[in-house]
Amino acid sequence: MNSHFQLDNPNLGKEDILYHIGLTAKDDLQSMFQDVKFVCMGGKPSRMQKFAAYLDDKLGKPETSRREKGELLDISGSAGRYSMYKAGPVLSVSHGIGQASLSVVLNEILKLLHYAKCNKDVIFIRIGSSGGLGVEPGTLVITDQPYNSTLEPVFLHISLGRSIPRPCSTCPDTRRELLNCSKNLGIPAVIGNTMATDDFFEGQCRLDGAFCDYSDEDKMNFLKRANQELGVKNIEMESTCFSAMCNRANVKSAVICSALLNRLQQDVVDATVQDMDKWQQQSFEVVAAFISNTVNDNVVS
Ligand code: R2B
Ligand code: URA
């Protein structure tokens, strides 16, 4: 049977305009995107452009990549909000900072796949940065359970004036495979829980934002509780929303983030640009290995 990924919103139709990604349901989305098997997302447009270029090379510059004058095309460039590239079966998309920005583009990407009648086995992976908790800077943290800022394992989605707890979880097979790929490549990685916040400063217990009304001791008590009682190994700003929306759409999701610093030791991100580039490149290598293995396994089976 030919089964497709499908959203169950009855209001979706031909007139839809995917305003933030510069496409419409009337475009020939099926011929452009039907072969997509992986959606990789990260905050920065430049990171997602570099990842797409790296992958395009690694996959042998497939014909199904989208190019213009030989260069990978920013498919969403005309809309001016997010960047989106297609390298073979992979969409590489930026989502900006935080859950609000992420949810806008993720809604439109899910609709895009729906209109494109993509295969149901699409995997969504967030490749990001984070503050580590008790891990060495440069370690990749692969998210097991995402927690929100009040340390509950849900994404609180506000709609019609109500706060709806949406369950969030990541795909066990994908996180195990990502860890295996890291080990095979000799890249430091751990699986751990992740706290997602709506703010980089007080929301992540920093003392050095524009405001602060708690003590260093309060901060350390909270961070240690998250780390020791709940196994939180990093803090970022999207994993609950990302995994909850993927769960709701019935697609697999994973989150893999470089830890830029150890938040049990400091607040300031003072890693060098060279180190951060190196760690970002390592996250690309791990995800690219995962993608190659998955594509090859599917060909064989
Ligand atoms: C990690 O880094 C960004 C904040 O600097 C945010 O998008 C996140 O999750
Ligand atoms: N991104 C975050 O959200 N927090 C950090 O500490 C570093 C990167």
Side-chain angles (χ1 to χ4, degrees), residues 213-267:
D213 59 8
Y214 45 84
S215 66
D216 185 37
E217 192 186 357
D218 296 336
K219 162 190 153 178
M220 291 312 295
N221 285 341
F222 181 79
L223 290 180
K224 282 186 182 156
R225 178 160 79 82
N227 181 232
Q228 288 163 13
E229 290 177 21
L230 290 172
V232 172
K233 295 211 167 113
N234 68 337
I235 307 176
E236 43 80 276
M237 299 180 64
E238 293 87 11
S239 58
T240 44
C241 176
F242 183 74
S243 58
M245 285 183 68
C246 288
N247 283 354
R248 219 174 152 198
N250 208 18
V251 290
K252 292 177 182 171
S253 70
V255 179
I256 179 165
C257 292
S258 325
L260 303 185
L261 71 167
N262 181 358
R263 288 299 320 286
L264 297 179
Q265 284 169 1
Q266 64 189 81
D267 287 350

Side-chain angles (χ1 to χ4, degrees), residues 110-272:
L110 287 166
K111 292 199 290 174
L112 168 66
L113 298 189
H114 168 84
Y115 295 131
K117 299 199 186 318
C118 263
N119 186 285
K120 71 176 170 134
D121 293 328
V122 180
I123 302 180
F124 280 63
I125 304 176
R126 170 170 137 70
I127 308 170
S129 61
S130 65
L133 273 192
V135 298
E136 278 294 306
T139 307
L140 290 173
V141 180
I142 300 159
T143 301
D144 185 341
Q145 176 64 57
Y147 284 97
N148 65 21
S149 352
T150 53
L151 296 177
E152 294 155 321
V154 290
F155 169 56
L156 289 180
H157 184 203
I158 314 270
S159 168
L160 300 185
R162 298 161 306 164
S163 173
I164 306 157
R166 305 264 186 221
C168 38
S169 60
T170 58
C171 169
D173 291 343
T174 307
R175 53 179 194 252
R176 212 176 301 120
E177 267 315 298
L178 286 168
L179 186 67
N180 280 342
C181 292
S182 316
K183 281 193 182 143
N184 293 340
L185 291 161
I187 293 173
V190 292
I191 292 180
N193 298 332
T194 297
M195 178 170 84
T197 68
D198 289 325
D199 164 47
F200 183 82
F201 291 99
E202 287 171 284
Q204 295 189 5
C205 324
R206 284 189 158 81
L207 302 173
D208 63 347
F211 310 99
C212 183
D213 59 8
Y214 45 84
S215 66
D216 185 37
E217 192 186 357
D218 296 336
K219 162 190 153 178
M220 291 312 295
N221 285 341
F222 181 79
L223 290 180
K224 282 186 182 156
R225 178 160 79 82
N227 181 232
Q228 288 163 13
E229 290 177 21
L230 290 172
V232 172
K233 295 211 167 113
N234 68 337
I235 307 176
E236 43 80 276
M237 299 180 64
E238 293 87 11
S239 58
T240 44
C241 176
F242 183 74
S243 58
M245 285 183 68
C246 288
N247 283 354
R248 219 174 152 198
N250 208 18
V251 290
K252 292 177 182 171
S253 70
V255 179
I256 179 165
C257 292
S258 325
L260 303 185
L261 71 167
N262 181 358
R263 288 299 320 286
L264 297 179
Q265 284 169 1
Q266 64 189 81
D267 287 350
V268 179
V269 181
D270 60 3
T272 62

Side-chain angles (χ1 to χ4, degrees), residues 33-46:
F33 298 106
Q34 192 174 22
D35 65 322
V36 169
K37 291 277 186 288
F38 305 88
V39 177
C40 295
M41 303 184 78
K44 291 183 188 175
S46 63

